Amino acid sequence: MAILQAAVVKRTDPRPNPPPLDKIYVRAVTQELEGSMRKLRGAARVDTSNMTLQADEIDYDEERGYAEARGHVIFDHYEGGEHIEAERVEYNLKD
């Protein structure tokens, strides 16, 4: 994971209503799909059973499991207990 200028806080609460273990949910105001790349714009969000990534925009490569979030990024990792707020975050969902 790559983070630029972030505030990191330790989480202690459990993941509310997680997706199933084998599912990744994506949503945004608009979405474009180019091959395996989803371009999420406006209130973008990627959810797995153990993490949530929210931002103004997220580019998510479904094949590689790579996500790059930009603008008002909030990342919560429920198993590791991390809560991160940053302007830009890169994350590999397969790691």
Side-chain angles (χ1 to χ4, degrees):
M1 176 187 331
I3 303 168
L4 300 175
Q5 297 179 344
V8 180
V9 177
K10 198 71 169 165
R11 289 195 71 101
T12 58
D13 55 330
R15 169 78 159 108
N17 303 313
L21 289 174
D22 61 340
K23 299 292 182 189
I24 297 173
Y25 294 161
V26 297
R27 65 179 162 205
V29 173
T30 63
Q31 294 186 38
E32 291 180 31
L33 184 60
E34 295 177 8
S36 66
M37 181 66 74
R38 284 192 181 273
K39 295 184 177 189
L40 310 172
R41 301 295 182 261
R45 184 174 174 129
V46 176
D47 283 293
T48 70
S49 60
N50 64 4
M51 75 90 198
T52 299
L53 180 61
Q54 302 174 74
D56 293 337
E57 56 185 45
I58 300 172
D59 292 335
Y60 170 55
D61 187 328
E62 294 176 317
E63 187 176 304
R64 292 178 36 226
Y66 170 81
E68 181 182 328
R70 294 175 301 280
H72 303 101
V73 179
I74 298 173
F75 174 80
D76 288 302
H77 192 277
Y78 297 94
E79 286 179 10
E82 294 95 5
H83 172 83
I84 298 169
E85 296 182 15
E87 281 304 307
R88 183 172 175 269
V89 170
E90 296 176 23
Y91 186 72
N92 187 334
L93 282 71
K94 293 186 176 184
D95 283 347

